[in-house]
Amino acid sequence: MGGKVAIITGGSRGIGKAVVEKFAGAGIKVYFTYANSEDSAAKLAEKCGATAIRCPQNDSEKIAETVDKIYAENGTIDILVNNAGITRDNLLMRMSDEEWNAVISTNLSSCFYLSRNLVRAMMGKRWGRIINISSVSGIAGNAGQANYSAAKAGIIGFTKTLARELAARNITANAVAPGFIETDMTAKLPENIMEAAKAAIPLKRFGKPDDIARVCAFLASEEASYITGQVISVNGGLVI
Ligand code: NAP
């Protein structure tokens, strides 16, 4: 993968961080965004030789600026991983407009903004990989996550549409749908929910960020050149 340029959103922690490490290790020139975690972003950038850019993913102007900067430096962006995401869980009857809008804009609208800015150049180059991080909640739904499940299901429809629009230009678009992965996002779950989740997972454990990073690396590679419009579940068998 040497010589390719990638942008990964939400690379400062968790799954995105594992993707940054995996891609940088494969010789890809990596740019990654973050919103708040300046210290861990800077440390990761230094460790991997990647570039960290503070870019809140719900700010379409800042996203356009970020894309322009990467093009100016490289003349190309070959791989996009839309990973940044948040949760604001609540039961539907108690969910505020703020909780709904924050999750839809950070998790779903961000994919639209960034993909729209990138595809023209990918089309010109006739090569591109778009990998969107969905969730088991977008496939099966999850009580308390109407906002998150809607965003993650939206990512699946969005991905399938990109796959159809872009296939003729040799650009693939796929979604990865993690189950429970050990990151800050799941660390804040109450103990009883974690135990119930582990009991329901046939492999009886949560996944590691690297389980997702390996699938992203495969989808970004030439090995996956005939796979597009798919949703790859990585969930220990939670949904079969
Ligand atoms: P995490 O540990 O909470 O990390 C989230 C990352 O997203 C951080 O790098 C964070 O940056 C970044 N981010 C959040 N809001 C952002 C914004 N507005 N603009 C730019 N970056 C932003 O989460 P994770 O568990 O790694 O999750 C990564 C993705 O996988 C998400 O899309 C999530 O929905 C999905 N997923 C996770 C699981 C799981 O079990 N962990 C399961 C299914 C799907 P800062 O550090 O700067 O805040």
Side-chain angles (χ1 to χ4, degrees):
M1 299 299 289
K4 296 275 193 270
V5 178
I7 177 165
I8 298 155
T9 69
S12 49
R13 294 182 286 119
I15 291 170
K17 180 179 178 193
V19 177
V20 170
E21 288 169 337
K22 183 70 69 195
F23 280 22
I28 296 169
K29 184 165 183 190
V30 174
Y31 291 78
F32 69 91
T33 67
Y34 66 97
N36 304 298
S37 304
E38 193 153 2
D39 282 356
S40 61
K43 276 187 198 134
L44 179 66
E46 198 184 334
K47 180 180 155 203
C48 296
T51 304
I53 303 174
R54 187 174 177 282
C55 177
Q57 290 308 135
N58 15 23
D59 181 340
S60 89
E61 275 181 29
K62 180 73 186 159
I63 289 173
E65 237 175 68
T66 301
V67 169
D68 287 349
K69 171 185 154 62
I70 301 174
Y71 277 127
E73 287 178 17
N74 302 281
T76 180
I77 302 179
D78 307 291
I79 304 162
L80 163 63
V81 183
N82 280 308
N83 163 77
I86 57 168
T87 50
R88 294 285 183 274
D89 296 353
N90 218 336
L91 291 173
L92 175 64
M93 60 189 281
R94 296 195 196 119
M95 188 170 282
S96 66
D97 292 2
E98 193 281 327
E99 287 166 338
W100 173 268
N101 289 326
V103 170
I104 296 295
S105 76
T106 303
N107 297 14
L108 179 60
S109 304
S110 60
C111 299
F112 160 66
Y113 295 140
L114 199 45
S115 306
R116 181 182 59 182
N117 277 291
L118 287 195
V119 291
R120 194 183 299 272
M122 281 183 180
M123 287 165 87
K125 203 172 171 190
R126 287 184 162 55
W127 200 96
R129 296 279 190 271
I130 299 174
I131 301 163
N132 297 322
I133 306 299
S134 177
S135 167
V136 66
S137 300
I139 294 172
N142 194 21
Q145 290 196 312
N147 49 3
Y148 185 81
S149 304
K152 294 299 186 180
I155 284 178
I156 292 173
F158 178 70
T159 303
K160 290 181 177 183
T161 298
L162 292 194
R164 289 184 186 279
E165 280 191 22
L166 303 172
R169 306 297 176 99
N170 195 34
I171 299 165
T172 67
N174 291 288
V176 178
F180 287 87
I181 307 298
E182 286 173 4
T183 67
D184 295 342
M185 188 177 272
T186 47
K188 63 190 180 198
L189 291 172
E191 192 61 34
N192 62 328
I193 303 273
M194 281 208 212
E195 287 314 312
K198 280 181 195 159
I201 297 168
L203 286 174
K204 298 293 173 215
R205 60 178 174 82
F206 284 9
K208 307 270 184 212
D210 198 53
D211 290 320
I212 307 303
R214 286 200 298 269
V215 176
C216 293
F218 169 64
L219 289 173
S221 74
E222 282 304 337
E223 310 290 307
S225 57
Y226 199 55
I227 301 174
T228 196
Q230 303 305 305
V231 183
I232 316 288
S233 286
V234 186
N235 61 26
L238 180 58
V239 172
I240 294 180

